[in-house]
Amino acid sequence: MPSPHSSVSGASPPPRTSAPPPPGAAKDPTPPVKPAAARTSRPTAPRARPRLRVPRGVRRASGPVGLLLLWFLTAATGVLPETVLASPVDVVRRGADLIGTGELPQAIAASGRRAALGFLIGAAVALTLSLTAGLFRLGEDVIDASMGMFRAIPWVGLIPLFIVWFGIDETPKIALVALGVTYPLYFNIYGGIRSADAQLIEAGRMVGLGRIGLIRYVILPSALPGALVGLRYALSTAWLALVFAEQVNTDAGIGYLMSNAQQYFQTDVIVLCLAVYAVLGLLCDFAVRLLSRRLLDWRASFDGEGA
């Protein structure tokens, strides 16, 4: 006779379950093994195709090249009459003629001398005033308010007064360029000095730097980025001031060529002179950008996002 605890024929025995661990027992750190069906690999994301990256030089040149192409097409189709604006082909042809006769190189040399001399005078004045006002409270009280007042006066409107003071030769032209250079350099250098980090100055004092050491190793390096920005503005302002200065009683220079072309309605010469001003300003700006990379290579700065 079968015992009551024996299994019934044809029925499977009940599954064996492990007994729960006692309350004080430590848990097994080994994780349970997953079934093979559950250990499936995650689907890999498809690889992104490499994008075609256009060099930055090509992208920078796309704007000017597009404008030149638009100018050429409007002039060739007659949409832009020659009496309004000469075509780029005529401008290039006239430039080659003026280079062949030597007029354009002589004009560039004369304008370059005026711009260089005026820039050096204005930069020296701006550097002296900005250092005095930025480093000393008495200098700020005496200089900064006056510079803010004179800045509100249009420096182009001072041309008649400069002619009365200095005559009609080279001096008023150079003085106008120097005045135009002074303001952007002064305010950018002064702002850079006053924006120096106070914690860096305090740290310099803690390591034993005196006033000269703080100026040399902390304040002036902090003001250098602002000074370079002011230098870019000053160079562009120098050529802008020269455009106005050379319209007054000149016998040489790019402005002299523009004045003669205006009398004879030679739009090709006028556009050529404006293009020369633009190229000279662009070269100066490019030189300052290279100088900034060299002098500010110690500073980590934001360089844009994307391609």
Side-chain angles (χ1 to χ4, degrees):
M1 181 177 180
S3 65
H5 300 284
S6 62
S7 60
V8 181
S9 175
S12 61
R16 297 178 62 186
T17 58
S18 59
K27 295 183 179 180
D28 187 6
T30 305
V33 179
K34 294 183 179 181
R39 297 197 303 267
T40 57
S41 60
R42 295 182 178 179
T44 58
R47 292 184 179 180
R49 296 182 178 179
R51 293 187 303 172
L52 180 62
R53 302 188 63 177
V54 181
R56 292 195 66 183
V58 177
R59 288 184 293 175
R60 283 179 175 271
S62 61
V65 171
L67 290 176
L68 285 175
L69 183 60
L70 179 62
W71 178 19
F72 174 76
L73 292 177
T74 53
T77 56
V79 177
L80 188 64
E82 186 178 355
T83 55
V84 176
L85 188 64
S87 67
V89 177
D90 296 336
V91 173
V92 173
R93 186 182 297 114
R94 181 55 65 94
D97 294 340
L98 292 177
I99 291 175
T101 58
E103 295 182 58
L104 188 59
Q106 293 175 4
I108 294 175
S111 298
R113 285 194 300 268
R114 296 185 184 114
L117 188 55
F119 175 80
L120 290 177
I121 295 174
V125 173
L127 186 61
T128 303
L129 294 178
S130 59
L131 290 177
T132 304
L135 298 176
F136 305 100
R137 294 179 181 176
L138 178 60
E140 179 188 12
D141 297 338
V142 175
I143 296 173
D144 191 60
S146 301
M147 290 296 293
M149 178 182 65
F150 289 130
R151 185 188 183 185
I153 301 175
W155 46 267
V156 179
L158 296 176
I159 294 177
L161 191 60
F162 281 0
I163 292 176
V164 172
W165 288 348
F166 306 116
I168 57 176
D169 54 358
E170 295 293 307
T171 306
K173 303 174 183 60
I174 296 173
L176 188 66
V177 174
L179 185 64
V181 166
T182 301
Y183 294 126
L185 268 180
Y186 167 80
F187 284 105
N188 279 277
I189 297 176
Y190 169 77
I193 292 174
R194 287 309 176 94
S195 63
D197 193 349
Q199 295 181 355
L200 291 178
I201 295 176
E202 187 63 27
R205 288 173 178 164
M206 291 179 63
V207 299
L209 290 178
R211 185 172 184 83
I212 303 299
L214 288 175
I215 294 173
R216 180 179 178 182
Y217 296 107
V218 179
I219 297 176
L220 291 184
S222 299
L224 186 58
L228 291 173
V229 173
L231 182 61
R232 294 182 66 180
Y233 278 112
L235 286 171
S236 61
T237 307
W239 292 108
L240 178 62
L242 194 64
V243 173
F244 293 99
E246 290 187 335
Q247 301 296 318
V248 180
N249 194 29
T250 53
D251 55 0
I254 304 174
Y256 173 70
L257 293 179
M258 291 183 62
S259 298
N260 289 341
Q262 179 185 1
Q263 296 177 5
Y264 297 102
F265 300 98
Q266 297 173 337
T267 57
D268 51 355
V269 178
I270 295 175
V271 174
L272 175 64
C273 294
L274 293 177
V276 170
Y277 278 126
V279 170
L280 293 175
L282 186 63
L283 291 176
C284 293
D285 187 74
F286 181 71
V288 176
R289 290 170 67 92
L290 291 180
L291 183 65
S292 300
R293 291 180 182 179
R294 178 65 61 88
L295 296 179
L296 300 180
D297 56 353
W298 52 269
R299 190 186 66 160
S301 60
F302 178 68
D303 197 24
E305 293 180 352

